Amino acid sequence: GAGVSQSPSNKVTEKGKDVELRCDPISGHTALYWYRQSLGQGLEFLIYFQGNSAPDKSGLPSDRFSAERTGGSVSTLTIQRTQQEDSAVYLCASSAGLAASYEQYFGPGTRLTVT
Amino acid sequence: EDQVTQSPEALRLQEGESSSLNCSYTVSGLRGLFWYRQDPGKGPEFLFTLYSAGEEKEKERLKATLTKKESFLHITAPKPEDSATYLCAVRGNSNSGYALNFGKGTSLLVTP
């Protein structure tokens, strides 16, 4: 079946502009996660959703970052007033539930470059 | 705070030369230790989940083991197609207990 998809695959934007990154999880997966992978760094957790709800937003780096999920499916990560330090690969993952026994399946990522 | 340290950062092996990758961790309330494989330009691909010390899991040429402080990914007789970055992650009580806390990975290159 189809895996997790993300769009766009690459995004180049100018400093100060807003960007939207999209994630389509595996059909039927109720849990969705956003991570960020910067050059030379490990994957950094940003936020998770159970259904359309994001109970804990403390992983978001600043108030310029926001995320939403609608219909228990597609999620959008929005970065306002982008800065150069936002340049990274943004990865989305989904799982059938929140328990650790449910594997997180990752999408291919969106590479964001802020110039 | 959960911490995951992987070593070595990079490893070069000849085809058929077995070796092990290390993942040392500190975590409050281990809910699972995970191994992923990541190829360039792609997202991580799930390999194994380990839940308690003494547990072992195998898949083809890979075998993952777990103690209370570290996990090893043993690669037996590797092939060039095993070249990738191998990521270790833990899930504990931080980040509401649902996020994976990743190490920086070990970049493995297997030459013919």
Side-chain angles (χ1 to χ4, degrees), chain A:
Chain A
V4 178
S5 61
Q6 294 185 244
S7 60
S9 55
N10 280 284
K11 177 72 176 179
V12 179
T13 190
E14 292 180 353
K15 177 181 173 181
K17 295 285 180 71
D18 298 351
V19 295
E20 284 190 354
L21 311 180
R22 176 186 168 108
C23 172
D24 280 275
I26 293 172
S27 178
H29 278 193
T30 57
L32 186 148
Y33 310 80
W34 284 97
Y35 293 85
R36 178 170 72 172
Q37 189 171 32
S38 304
L39 193 62
Q41 302 297 315
L43 275 81
E44 172 192 12
F45 169 73
L46 299 179
I47 192 170
Y48 80 92
F49 289 87
Q50 173 61 8
N52 292 333
S53 174
D56 183 0
K57 300 180 180 180
S58 62
L60 294 174
S62 76
D63 59 8
R64 296 184 294 103
F65 287 71
S66 63
E68 65 175 13
R69 189 179 185 195
T70 56
S73 182
V74 172
S75 177
T76 302
L77 178 70
T78 300
I79 309 174
Q80 296 179 311
R81 305 181 303 281
T82 52
Q83 303 294 312
Q84 288 188 330
E85 60 263 28
D86 300 333
S87 295
V89 176
Y90 289 82
L91 291 158
C92 173
S94 71
S95 62
L98 286 176
S101 56
Y102 293 110
E103 296 93 8
Q104 294 187 19
Y105 294 91
F106 283 81
T110 292
R111 180 175 297 278
L112 175 66
T113 304
V114 182
T115 61

Side-chain angles (χ1 to χ4, degrees), chain B residues 36-84:
Chain B
Y36 281 82
R37 168 190 171 130
Q38 187 173 27
D39 292 294
K42 297 188 176 181
E45 174 188 346
F46 172 79
L47 293 174
F48 303 109
T49 307
L50 302 168
Y51 295 102
S52 57
E55 190 174 357
E56 300 183 351
K57 287 193 177 174
E58 288 188 67
K59 179 181 179 180
E60 296 181 357
R61 294 177 294 281
L62 301 177
K63 179 180 177 180
T65 62
L66 181 66
T67 72
K68 288 187 177 180
K69 294 184 178 181
E70 55 192 352
S71 177
F72 292 94
L73 185 66
H74 306 278
I75 304 177
T76 301
K79 299 181 177 182
E81 53 261 42
D82 294 323
S83 298

